[in-house]
Amino acid sequence: MCGIAGIVGRNPENETLLARMLEKQTHRGPDAKGIWSGEEVCLGHNRLSILDLSEAANQPFISNCGRFVIVFNGEIYNYLELKQSLDYRFRTKSDTEVLLAMYIKYGDKMIYYLNGMFAFSIWDIQEKQLFAARDRFGVKPFYYSMFQTQFLFASEIKTLFAAGVNQTLNEEVWADYFVHGSYGYPEETFFKDIHQLAPGHSLTIRVGDHRPLIKQYYDFVDRVKDQPVFDDEKKLQEEYLELLLNSIQLRFRSDVPVGFNVSGGLDSSILLAMISKIKEGEMQNIEAFTFYTGDDRYDELPWVKDLISKTKSPLNPVLLSQSEVPELIEKVAYFQDEPFGGFPTIAYSKIFEKARQKGFLVLLDGQGMDEAWAGYDYYRSDSQALVQGIKSSLTRPHVFSPELCARAREISYPAPFNNPLQNKQYRDLYYTKIPRALRFNDRVSMMHSTELREPFLDYRLVEMAFAQKREMKIKEDQGKWLPRQLVKKALENIALAPKRPLQTPQREWIGGPLSDFVEDRISKLKTNPWIEKNELDFEWKNYKNGQNDNSFFVWQWINTSFFEG
């Protein structure tokens, strides 16, 4: 897990420019910093050492033949299996070198063999071409920009700003955010001149090209349609369990301590049950982390303690107190670069801070189970909702100028399946829930130089689960039906926390003890040409007076106050 950056183009100042870029993302890799320069390219790397802690595994990494140079962010979980298939003289025990050797053997087809989370770039000195790719679901980030006839890429948006890329806001994406509550399409950012490489895509570019050539290498829809659909629930359980255990085993590969995040819900319970099965007799060395706020209406700490009591794992409860929220919001906003997801994201950041302090540089969590197995309440209805448990409108577009709101697009998502359930799941997996959660979580983990791994997002598990019939996912008005059966015996004496959309008292704190802070942030918007000041004051007054079924629109204002319109 690291930070990558690079410049394709001829400029004598590029190495100096790249050094400045790497400095901006040092938090992603505090253990080493490296630059490799050629005539047409500069590649840079910030290293967080997880596998093969030796200096020999530092990056940029050059192949034995001297033709290829790689910078890589992420983990290739099946690197040991891939290594056995390669006739290559390895100098390290790293997955980076395996990745490079796979490229030498298979070219761009090597991506199909990888099980991991990754964003990498490989420069071919002979062909004078850069090849880059991002993992299937976009766990790891890859941002790029065409700037002054050069191609720049990095792990973070602020890194590209450090190179001089314009900070012009993308008004269409912002308008969509204010009107629809969306966060942009997979290839977009909130900035006009900065783009993302979409999940499951690769790119190639040569010096002098005006834009990269982008290809989709992973067709999720086709993969799902090729999956077996099980009629026998017991057989499906067996097949899924085997893959699930393998996924978690692979994600324990590390040369530093591994812990896990836990809540009181089903996903964490499944993760804990599987870890206990794999690591029987070792649980005292695998620590658990959770956050709480001291508010019984939201905290899951009682359920978490009940769960953990069945193991020997030490539990680290991390308190998010109301008094520290203003400072944390400003700090997290700096690392996020774009609007992010409220108080739960802030609370989550404290977990990684605590893990780092205790020496746990890798944490596992349960992200992805809801989308794969239809866990949200709106999967069980005809609702097109994007957020569980919210009845009022998420946004207040009239607080923003009509000119800006007119730039909002009609948000529509592909519907490649022949049923509404799978189409909703697909939307959440590639356009709404998962992309934003992965971005928020990548930033809060990396701001504390820690690595987050999501075993439930192993592509094999997602494909298998996604392909199954509705009755394997939803039964007796309960989502995630089949995963529930997997852990029924292990959890028969444990009460799980109810499925809830909120885990912090964000609504209450914003309108109560933090209202002065919120008012101060809102006041910074009064000179913003996007804002209708009277409407803003009116809606804020209503919120404080109790019209607060949801706080998303107020959180939008707080987020926006960190940007210039």
mmCIF file of all heavy atoms in Angstrom, residues 345-377:
data_model
loop_
_atom_site.group_PDB
_atom_site.id
_atom_site.type_symbol
_atom_site.label_atom_id
_atom_site.label_comp_id
_atom_site.label_asym_id
_atom_site.label_seq_id
_atom_site.Cartn_x
_atom_site.Cartn_y
_atom_site.Cartn_z
ATOM 1 N N THR A 345 -17.345 8.807 8.622
ATOM 2 C CA THR A 345 -16.006 8.797 8.020
ATOM 3 C C THR A 345 -14.983 9.358 8.992
ATOM 4 O O THR A 345 -13.860 8.849 9.104
ATOM 5 C CB THR A 345 -15.995 9.623 6.712
ATOM 6 O OG1 THR A 345 -16.992 9.098 5.824
ATOM 7 C CG2 THR A 345 -14.640 9.557 6.032
ATOM 8 N N ILE A 346 -15.363 10.396 9.713
ATOM 9 C CA ILE A 346 -14.470 10.993 10.713
ATOM 10 C C ILE A 346 -14.191 9.999 11.833
ATOM 11 O O ILE A 346 -13.050 9.835 12.273
ATOM 12 C CB ILE A 346 -15.102 12.284 11.270
ATOM 13 C CG1 ILE A 346 -15.191 13.338 10.166
ATOM 14 C CG2 ILE A 346 -14.317 12.830 12.445
ATOM 15 C CD1 ILE A 346 -16.133 14.462 10.506
ATOM 16 N N ALA A 347 -15.258 9.345 12.298
ATOM 17 C CA ALA A 347 -15.083 8.341 13.356
ATOM 18 C C ALA A 347 -14.186 7.202 12.883
ATOM 19 O O ALA A 347 -13.326 6.714 13.618
ATOM 20 C CB ALA A 347 -16.452 7.789 13.777
ATOM 21 N N TYR A 348 -14.385 6.807 11.622
ATOM 22 C CA TYR A 348 -13.587 5.732 11.036
ATOM 23 C C TYR A 348 -12.105 6.110 11.009
ATOM 24 O O TYR A 348 -11.233 5.270 11.221
ATOM 25 C CB TYR A 348 -14.103 5.456 9.624
ATOM 26 C CG TYR A 348 -13.903 4.037 9.125
ATOM 27 C CD1 TYR A 348 -13.975 2.947 9.990
ATOM 28 C CD2 TYR A 348 -13.675 3.794 7.777
ATOM 29 C CE1 TYR A 348 -13.805 1.660 9.510
ATOM 30 C CE2 TYR A 348 -13.513 2.502 7.294
ATOM 31 C CZ TYR A 348 -13.582 1.442 8.165
ATOM 32 O OH TYR A 348 -13.407 0.175 7.700
ATOM 33 N N SER A 349 -11.823 7.387 10.755
ATOM 34 C CA SER A 349 -10.426 7.829 10.708
ATOM 35 C C SER A 349 -9.728 7.602 12.050
ATOM 36 O O SER A 349 -8.524 7.324 12.104
ATOM 37 C CB SER A 349 -10.343 9.313 10.319
ATOM 38 O OG SER A 349 -10.724 10.154 11.387
ATOM 39 N N LYS A 350 -10.489 7.709 13.133
ATOM 40 C CA LYS A 350 -9.895 7.511 14.464
ATOM 41 C C LYS A 350 -9.490 6.057 14.688
ATOM 42 O O LYS A 350 -8.548 5.768 15.430
ATOM 43 C CB LYS A 350 -10.876 7.966 15.551
ATOM 44 C CG LYS A 350 -11.137 9.456 15.551
ATOM 45 C CD LYS A 350 -11.627 9.921 16.909
ATOM 46 C CE LYS A 350 -10.533 9.819 17.957
ATOM 47 N NZ LYS A 350 -10.968 10.263 19.280
ATOM 48 N N ILE A 351 -10.209 5.135 14.035
ATOM 49 C CA ILE A 351 -9.853 3.720 14.137
ATOM 50 C C ILE A 351 -8.459 3.486 13.569
ATOM 51 O O ILE A 351 -7.621 2.801 14.173
ATOM 52 C CB ILE A 351 -10.897 2.851 13.410
ATOM 53 C CG1 ILE A 351 -12.174 2.740 14.252
ATOM 54 C CG2 ILE A 351 -10.338 1.472 13.093
ATOM 55 C CD1 ILE A 351 -13.274 1.929 13.612
ATOM 56 N N PHE A 352 -8.182 4.067 12.406
ATOM 57 C CA PHE A 352 -6.876 3.861 11.769
ATOM 58 C C PHE A 352 -5.762 4.558 12.547
ATOM 59 O O PHE A 352 -4.637 4.054 12.602
ATOM 60 C CB PHE A 352 -6.927 4.336 10.320
ATOM 61 C CG PHE A 352 -7.867 3.527 9.481
ATOM 62 C CD1 PHE A 352 -9.119 4.015 9.138
ATOM 63 C CD2 PHE A 352 -7.527 2.251 9.067
ATOM 64 C CE1 PHE A 352 -10.007 3.262 8.389
ATOM 65 C CE2 PHE A 352 -8.395 1.487 8.312
ATOM 66 C CZ PHE A 352 -9.641 1.990 7.978
ATOM 67 N N GLU A 353 -6.091 5.680 13.139
ATOM 68 C CA GLU A 353 -5.107 6.359 13.984
ATOM 69 C C GLU A 353 -4.716 5.465 15.162
ATOM 70 O O GLU A 353 -3.533 5.302 15.480
ATOM 71 C CB GLU A 353 -5.694 7.675 14.496
ATOM 72 C CG GLU A 353 -4.745 8.475 15.373
ATOM 73 C CD GLU A 353 -5.359 9.761 15.856
ATOM 74 O OE1 GLU A 353 -6.574 9.767 16.181
ATOM 75 O OE2 GLU A 353 -4.641 10.782 15.926
ATOM 76 N N LYS A 354 -5.725 4.853 15.778
ATOM 77 C CA LYS A 354 -5.473 3.958 16.925
ATOM 78 C C LYS A 354 -4.700 2.710 16.479
ATOM 79 O O LYS A 354 -3.763 2.267 17.159
ATOM 80 C CB LYS A 354 -6.806 3.545 17.545
ATOM 81 C CG LYS A 354 -6.685 2.624 18.754
ATOM 82 C CD LYS A 354 -6.129 3.366 19.956
ATOM 83 C CE LYS A 354 -6.229 2.527 21.217
ATOM 84 N NZ LYS A 354 -5.672 3.245 22.393
ATOM 85 N N ALA A 355 -5.083 2.149 15.335
ATOM 86 C CA ALA A 355 -4.402 0.955 14.834
ATOM 87 C C ALA A 355 -2.928 1.248 14.584
ATOM 88 O O ALA A 355 -2.053 0.448 14.948
ATOM 89 C CB ALA A 355 -5.076 0.465 13.555
ATOM 90 N N ARG A 356 -2.646 2.376 13.978
ATOM 91 C CA ARG A 356 -1.257 2.766 13.704
ATOM 92 C C ARG A 356 -0.476 2.909 15.001
ATOM 93 O O ARG A 356 0.664 2.438 15.115
ATOM 94 C CB ARG A 356 -1.245 4.082 12.917
ATOM 95 C CG ARG A 356 0.158 4.596 12.589
ATOM 96 C CD ARG A 356 0.754 3.848 11.417
ATOM 97 N NE ARG A 356 2.182 4.114 11.270
ATOM 98 C CZ ARG A 356 2.934 3.699 10.281
ATOM 99 N NH1 ARG A 356 2.396 2.988 9.310
ATOM 100 N NH2 ARG A 356 4.214 3.959 10.226
ATOM 101 N N GLN A 357 -1.077 3.540 15.989
ATOM 102 C CA GLN A 357 -0.420 3.712 17.293
ATOM 103 C C GLN A 357 -0.065 2.372 17.923
ATOM 104 O O GLN A 357 0.971 2.242 18.584
ATOM 105 C CB GLN A 357 -1.323 4.507 18.240
ATOM 106 C CG GLN A 357 -1.460 5.975 17.886
ATOM 107 C CD GLN A 357 -2.560 6.668 18.687
ATOM 108 O OE1 GLN A 357 -3.293 6.027 19.464
ATOM 109 N NE2 GLN A 357 -2.707 7.969 18.496
ATOM 110 N N LYS A 358 -0.912 1.369 17.696
ATOM 111 C CA LYS A 358 -0.686 0.051 18.291
ATOM 112 C C LYS A 358 0.154 -0.871 17.409
ATOM 113 O O LYS A 358 0.372 -2.033 17.742
ATOM 114 C CB LYS A 358 -2.030 -0.601 18.612
ATOM 115 C CG LYS A 358 -2.855 0.146 19.645
ATOM 116 C CD LYS A 358 -3.803 -0.745 20.394
ATOM 117 C CE LYS A 358 -3.072 -1.664 21.353
ATOM 118 N NZ LYS A 358 -3.981 -2.511 22.146
ATOM 119 N N GLY A 359 0.575 -0.364 16.250
ATOM 120 C CA GLY A 359 1.439 -1.158 15.383
ATOM 121 C C GLY A 359 0.715 -2.068 14.419
ATOM 122 O O GLY A 359 1.339 -2.924 13.783
ATOM 123 N N PHE A 360 -0.613 -1.892 14.276
ATOM 124 C CA PHE A 360 -1.376 -2.692 13.306
ATOM 125 C C PHE A 360 -1.498 -1.883 12.021
ATOM 126 O O PHE A 360 -2.317 -0.981 11.909
ATOM 127 C CB PHE A 360 -2.756 -3.065 13.866
ATOM 128 C CG PHE A 360 -2.688 -4.165 14.880
ATOM 129 C CD1 PHE A 360 -2.403 -3.891 16.214
ATOM 130 C CD2 PHE A 360 -2.851 -5.493 14.502
ATOM 131 C CE1 PHE A 360 -2.307 -4.905 17.149
ATOM 132 C CE2 PHE A 360 -2.757 -6.514 15.434
ATOM 133 C CZ PHE A 360 -2.486 -6.220 16.760
ATOM 134 N N LEU A 361 -0.655 -2.226 11.057
ATOM 135 C CA LEU A 361 -0.587 -1.453 9.810
ATOM 136 C C LEU A 361 -1.566 -1.952 8.757
ATOM 137 O O LEU A 361 -1.747 -1.316 7.719
ATOM 138 C CB LEU A 361 0.837 -1.490 9.238
ATOM 139 C CG LEU A 361 1.800 -0.413 9.758
ATOM 140 C CD1 LEU A 361 1.983 -0.496 11.265
ATOM 141 C CD2 LEU A 361 3.133 -0.506 9.063
ATOM 142 N N VAL A 362 -2.196 -3.102 9.027
ATOM 143 C CA VAL A 362 -3.192 -3.653 8.096
ATOM 144 C C VAL A 362 -4.465 -3.975 8.872
ATOM 145 O O VAL A 362 -4.408 -4.635 9.919
ATOM 146 C CB VAL A 362 -2.673 -4.935 7.405
ATOM 147 C CG1 VAL A 362 -3.763 -5.556 6.535
ATOM 148 C CG2 VAL A 362 -1.429 -4.646 6.582
ATOM 149 N N LEU A 363 -5.600 -3.504 8.363
ATOM 150 C CA LEU A 363 -6.896 -3.837 8.951
ATOM 151 C C LEU A 363 -7.811 -4.418 7.882
ATOM 152 O O LEU A 363 -7.788 -3.979 6.724
ATOM 153 C CB LEU A 363 -7.566 -2.596 9.548
ATOM 154 C CG LEU A 363 -6.917 -1.953 10.786
ATOM 155 C CD1 LEU A 363 -7.758 -0.768 11.263
ATOM 156 C CD2 LEU A 363 -6.760 -2.953 11.912
ATOM 157 N N LEU A 364 -8.622 -5.396 8.279
ATOM 158 C CA LEU A 364 -9.661 -5.955 7.409
ATOM 159 C C LEU A 364 -11.001 -5.374 7.828
ATOM 160 O O LEU A 364 -11.205 -5.089 9.023
ATOM 161 C CB LEU A 364 -9.719 -7.471 7.542
ATOM 162 C CG LEU A 364 -8.770 -8.342 6.703
ATOM 163 C CD1 LEU A 364 -7.323 -7.981 6.960
ATOM 164 C CD2 LEU A 364 -8.998 -9.827 7.000
ATOM 165 N N ASP A 365 -11.923 -5.193 6.851
ATOM 166 C CA ASP A 365 -13.281 -4.827 7.234
ATOM 167 C C ASP A 365 -14.297 -5.529 6.344
ATOM 168 O O ASP A 365 -13.936 -6.286 5.446
ATOM 169 C CB ASP A 365 -13.482 -3.303 7.286
ATOM 170 C CG ASP A 365 -13.778 -2.668 5.939
ATOM 171 O OD1 ASP A 365 -13.791 -3.373 4.917
ATOM 172 O OD2 ASP A 365 -14.000 -1.442 5.916
ATOM 173 N N GLY A 366 -15.589 -5.279 6.613
ATOM 174 C CA GLY A 366 -16.660 -6.046 5.977
ATOM 175 C C GLY A 366 -17.345 -5.364 4.813
ATOM 176 O O GLY A 366 -18.487 -5.706 4.481
ATOM 177 N N GLN A 367 -16.680 -4.396 4.162
ATOM 178 C CA GLN A 367 -17.285 -3.669 3.056
ATOM 179 C C GLN A 367 -17.626 -4.603 1.892
ATOM 180 O O GLN A 367 -16.829 -5.432 1.511
ATOM 181 C CB GLN A 367 -16.303 -2.601 2.562
ATOM 182 C CG GLN A 367 -16.875 -1.616 1.570
ATOM 183 C CD GLN A 367 -17.831 -0.638 2.223
ATOM 184 O OE1 GLN A 367 -17.504 0.010 3.193
ATOM 185 N NE2 GLN A 367 -19.030 -0.564 1.687
ATOM 186 N N GLY A 368 -18.835 -4.441 1.329
ATOM 187 C CA GLY A 368 -19.190 -5.155 0.108
ATOM 188 C C GLY A 368 -20.239 -6.238 0.250
ATOM 189 O O GLY A 368 -20.815 -6.671 -0.751
ATOM 190 N N MET A 369 -20.512 -6.680 1.461
ATOM 191 C CA MET A 369 -21.487 -7.762 1.647
ATOM 192 C C MET A 369 -22.911 -7.310 1.302
ATOM 193 O O MET A 369 -23.685 -8.049 0.682
ATOM 194 C CB MET A 369 -21.423 -8.269 3.087
ATOM 195 C CG MET A 369 -22.284 -9.473 3.369
ATOM 196 S SD MET A 369 -21.738 -10.991 2.548
ATOM 197 C CE MET A 369 -20.430 -11.529 3.647
ATOM 198 N N ASP A 370 -23.269 -6.083 1.682
ATOM 199 C CA ASP A 370 -24.629 -5.590 1.417
ATOM 200 C C ASP A 370 -24.930 -5.525 -0.077
ATOM 201 O O ASP A 370 -26.029 -5.873 -0.516
ATOM 202 C CB ASP A 370 -24.813 -4.200 2.036
ATOM 203 C CG ASP A 370 -25.082 -4.266 3.523
ATOM 204 O OD1 ASP A 370 -26.046 -4.940 3.916
ATOM 205 O OD2 ASP A 370 -24.325 -3.654 4.299
ATOM 206 N N GLU A 371 -23.965 -5.061 -0.846
ATOM 207 C CA GLU A 371 -24.180 -4.910 -2.286
ATOM 208 C C GLU A 371 -24.223 -6.261 -2.994
ATOM 209 O O GLU A 371 -24.990 -6.453 -3.940
ATOM 210 C CB GLU A 371 -23.075 -4.033 -2.890
ATOM 211 C CG GLU A 371 -23.115 -2.582 -2.446
ATOM 212 C CD GLU A 371 -22.602 -2.350 -1.028
ATOM 213 O OE1 GLU A 371 -21.948 -3.263 -0.451
ATOM 214 O OE2 GLU A 371 -22.844 -1.257 -0.487
ATOM 215 N N ALA A 372 -23.405 -7.198 -2.533
ATOM 216 C CA ALA A 372 -23.354 -8.510 -3.178
ATOM 217 C C ALA A 372 -24.576 -9.368 -2.849
ATOM 218 O O ALA A 372 -25.074 -10.109 -3.700
ATOM 219 C CB ALA A 372 -22.076 -9.242 -2.767
ATOM 220 N N TRP A 373 -25.072 -9.247 -1.596
ATOM 221 C CA TRP A 373 -26.153 -10.119 -1.135
ATOM 222 C C TRP A 373 -27.448 -9.367 -0.831
ATOM 223 O O TRP A 373 -28.313 -9.874 -0.134
ATOM 224 C CB TRP A 373 -25.712 -10.903 0.100
ATOM 225 C CG TRP A 373 -24.770 -12.025 -0.217
ATOM 226 C CD1 TRP A 373 -23.433 -12.062 0.023
ATOM 227 C CD2 TRP A 373 -25.076 -13.271 -0.835
ATOM 228 N NE1 TRP A 373 -22.885 -13.243 -0.398
ATOM 229 C CE2 TRP A 373 -23.878 -14.019 -0.932
ATOM 230 C CE3 TRP A 373 -26.261 -13.832 -1.330
ATOM 231 C CZ2 TRP A 373 -23.817 -15.289 -1.499
ATOM 232 C CZ3 TRP A 373 -26.201 -15.109 -1.885
ATOM 233 C CH2 TRP A 373 -24.993 -15.811 -1.964
ATOM 234 N N ALA A 374 -27.590 -8.146 -1.336
ATOM 235 C CA ALA A 374 -28.845 -7.381 -1.233
ATOM 236 C C ALA A 374 -29.257 -7.129 0.214
ATOM 237 O O ALA A 374 -30.331 -7.542 0.658
ATOM 238 C CB ALA A 374 -29.966 -8.087 -2.008
ATOM 239 N N GLY A 375 -28.392 -6.413 0.932
ATOM 240 C CA GLY A 375 -28.639 -6.190 2.351
ATOM 241 C C GLY A 375 -29.462 -4.964 2.695
ATOM 242 O O GLY A 375 -30.021 -4.890 3.793
ATOM 243 N N TYR A 376 -29.561 -3.990 1.805
ATOM 244 C CA TYR A 376 -30.267 -2.744 2.135
ATOM 245 C C TYR A 376 -31.769 -2.897 1.982
ATOM 246 O O TYR A 376 -32.247 -3.677 1.150
ATOM 247 C CB TYR A 376 -29.759 -1.599 1.252
ATOM 248 C CG TYR A 376 -28.299 -1.287 1.460
ATOM 249 C CD1 TYR A 376 -27.378 -1.440 0.416
ATOM 250 C CD2 TYR A 376 -27.831 -0.857 2.696
ATOM 251 C CE1 TYR A 376 -26.036 -1.160 0.606
ATOM 252 C CE2 TYR A 376 -26.485 -0.578 2.888
ATOM 253 C CZ TYR A 376 -25.583 -0.740 1.841
ATOM 254 O OH TYR A 376 -24.258 -0.480 2.041
ATOM 255 N N ASP A 377 -32.526 -2.106 2.776
ATOM 256 C CA ASP A 377 -33.990 -2.258 2.754
ATOM 257 C C ASP A 377 -34.596 -1.942 1.391
ATOM 258 O O ASP A 377 -35.584 -2.554 0.984
ATOM 259 C CB ASP A 377 -34.647 -1.405 3.856
ATOM 260 C CG ASP A 377 -34.330 0.095 3.758
ATOM 261 O OD1 ASP A 377 -33.714 0.524 2.764
ATOM 262 O OD2 ASP A 377 -34.706 0.831 4.700
#
